[in-house]
Amino acid sequence: VRTQALDELDTMSDLTDLDAWRIQYLGRRGALTQVMRGIGQLPPQQRPEVGQVSNDVKTTLETAFDHRVDVLKQQRLATTLAQERLDVTLPGFPVSLGRLHPTTQILREITSIFAEMGFQVYDSREVESDLYNFELLNIPPYHPARDMWDTFYINERVVLRTHTSPGQIRAMQAFHPDPIRVILPGMCYRYEQVTSRHEMMFTQVEGLAVGENITMADLKGVLENFARRLFGDNRRMRFRCSHFPFTEPSVEVDMDCFLCNGEGTGCSMCKESGWLEILGAGMVHPQVLRNGGYDPTVYSGFAFGMGPERITILKYGIDDIRLFFSNDLRFLEQFS
Ligand code: PHE
């Protein structure tokens, strides 16, 4: 039994065959077990010897079996390693790099320009109370100016902010009584019919400076410097009278049209006016300063609000604002 079993074991190259072998010799009905079971029927003098020999054979077979299993496992590992070896000289698959969203890119550009002028970023909330989004900005309930911002209401007193201006109050309350120089970038929401010109979500960057002796000239200087840095030295800019309930006086700022160079004739981008509006601004209204905790007889300030998507649209002549949130790679890949 021993010689035969060991010979067979040597020829086996497969783990399933090995298992069959184990059952055949060492299993409960295996050859060796039969011999051992038969010991009881032998004449008493023969029993110790046969018992001794079969135990030896059993140990030998078990050890040989374990050894063979090890050898086969090693072999299998070696073949897998050989077959699945990596050929590092093969050409690789092209790796496609992700890009920053155009809005993220313009936000970073805007932030770094203002950072150089000493403005830090202040984060304000997207879900606002009616109080901060409207009332503390001089827009009481039923004020006709509410029509300027079509509003998503969470409930009667809570809204999705329609502009970043409520952050002015939050920043004032946080910084009081220190002077302030911050920008507040973030998402805004308006209950708009979505068209190529209107989205219900968009980004704004609010700016706020509060201190002693801040004048309209400071506002003009900051915005002019900003526009020069963003659009280049050769563009013209104009300040136009406007109205916002939370600034007095208020202005809107236009750049000469990128498409027709301010010529106007036949231009669809600026509707033949030669000008494109890029932001609203003004001197912080005394009551708004008061609402933020600053005494308007001592302090003054300016504020502005711009739409980065709008600026990107103007800069690249994009004809559909919906492209910004439709995740179309053909659009996004153009901004590397
Ligand atoms: N919040 C105004 C808007 O969304 C813009 C603005 C900001 C105007 C700050 C003046 C001062 O239209």
Side-chain angles (χ1 to χ4, degrees), residues 225-282:
N225 185 46
F226 164 74
R228 232 196 317 280
R229 294 285 308 277
L230 192 68
F231 301 113
D233 282 333
N234 303 324
R235 302 241 69 99
R236 287 186 305 149
M237 180 186 200
R238 79 173 178 189
F239 285 69
R240 181 164 43 77
C241 288
S242 185
H243 172 76
F244 298 100
F246 36 91
T247 46
E248 181 57 35
S250 303
V251 293
E252 277 175 312
V253 175
D254 301 334
M255 302 299 296
D256 63 337
C257 180
F258 306 105
L259 199 62
C260 62
N261 269 318
E263 299 294 337
T265 6
C267 182
S268 59
M269 179 114 118
C270 60
K271 301 215 194 88
E272 307 215 5
S273 70
W275 296 99
L276 299 166
E277 184 202 320
I278 60 157
L279 59 88

Side-chain angles (χ1 to χ4, degrees), residues 134 139 145-151 162-163 190 244-246:
F134 293 120
I139 315 166
R146 291 220 174 187
D147 289 354
M148 280 168 87
W149 299 278
D150 304 293
T151 310
T162 57
H163 52 177
R190 289 188 197 173
F244 298 100
F246 36 91

Side-chain angles (χ1 to χ4, degrees), residues 26-65:
L26 298 169
R28 282 205 293 151
R29 302 230 161 87
L32 195 59
T33 323
Q34 301 287 11
V35 173
M36 289 169 116
R37 287 229 181 94
I39 292 179
Q41 270 91 40
L42 293 176
Q45 330 73 295
Q46 286 184 12
R47 289 185 202 164
E49 204 197 331
V50 176
Q52 175 72 49
V53 171
S54 16
N55 267 331
D56 286 351
V57 172
K58 190 169 179 216
T59 330
T60 317
L61 290 191
E62 278 170 354
T63 325
F65 175 79

Side-chain angles (χ1 to χ4, degrees), residues 83-107:
Q83 279 167 359
E84 293 176 10
R85 192 181 57 207
L86 275 184
D87 183 350
V88 291
T89 64
L90 286 174
F93 298 104
V95 178
S96 65
L97 279 184
R99 295 167 171 75
L100 293 176
H101 190 278
T103 301
T104 309
Q105 291 185 30
I106 192 90
L107 275 176

